[in-house]
């Protein structure tokens, strides 16, 4: 387990594709395909509470990219999409306020 948030690599990605993921045991899950410049990774997150999957493509997000991958209901999640809780405790994506180069690392 990392000792601080900066013991992991957090990069800017752009959501290329998003679709609802009802096969999981958690509500409001969404499958994501995210580009990080010269690479693409898959992720899934409980975003349906605050984000419509049809509106997500083209949005830049922050993701942890060096934790390895896990299987979620047969889908390989290769990045942890970063979010913060809303007033009800549901995830809201963390994103740059301006467009920035894909793959850029948080420092």
């Amino acid at each position: 387990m990392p000792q601080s948030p900066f013991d992991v690599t957090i990069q800017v990605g752009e959501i290329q594709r998003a679709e609802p993921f009802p096969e999981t045991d958690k509500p409001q899950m969404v499958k994501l395909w995210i580009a990080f410049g010269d690479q693409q990774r898959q992720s899934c997150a409980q975003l349906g509470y605050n984000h419509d999957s049809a509106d997500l493509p083209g949005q830049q997000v922050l993701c942890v990219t060096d934790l390895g991958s896990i299987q979620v209901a047969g889908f390989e999640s290769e990045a942890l999409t970063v979010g913060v809780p809303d007033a009800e405790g549901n995830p809201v994506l963390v994103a740059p306020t301006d467009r920035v180069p894909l793959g850029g690392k948080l420092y």
Side-chain angles (χ1 to χ4, degrees):
M1 187 74 164
Q3 297 301 310
S4 81
F6 296 105
D7 287 342
V8 296
T9 302
I10 299 175
Q11 292 182 270
V12 177
E14 182 178 297
I15 298 173
Q16 303 295 299
R17 183 172 144 207
E19 60 186 55
F21 193 11
E23 299 86 0
T24 68
D25 60 354
K26 292 189 175 191
Q28 303 297 325
M29 288 290 279
V30 177
K31 291 180 187 178
L32 303 169
W33 288 263
I34 304 170
F36 295 93
D38 62 349
Q39 60 179 320
Q40 184 166 327
R41 293 178 189 243
Q42 299 179 158
S43 182
C44 59
Q46 249 181 315
L47 301 178
Y49 293 102
N50 289 299
H51 304 278
D52 184 327
S53 59
D55 296 334
L56 290 172
Q59 183 169 340
Q60 289 191 327
V61 294
L62 295 179
C63 298
V64 179
T65 56
D66 60 355
L67 293 176
S69 64
I70 61 167
Q71 290 287 321
V72 178
F75 181 78
E76 185 175 16
S77 183
E78 305 165 305
L80 174 66
T81 305
V82 178
V84 294
D86 66 10
E88 288 79 40
N90 297 312
V92 175
L93 287 170
V94 173
T97 56
D98 296 322
R99 301 267 324 156
V100 296
L102 298 181
K105 296 179 182 176
L106 180 69
Y107 59 83

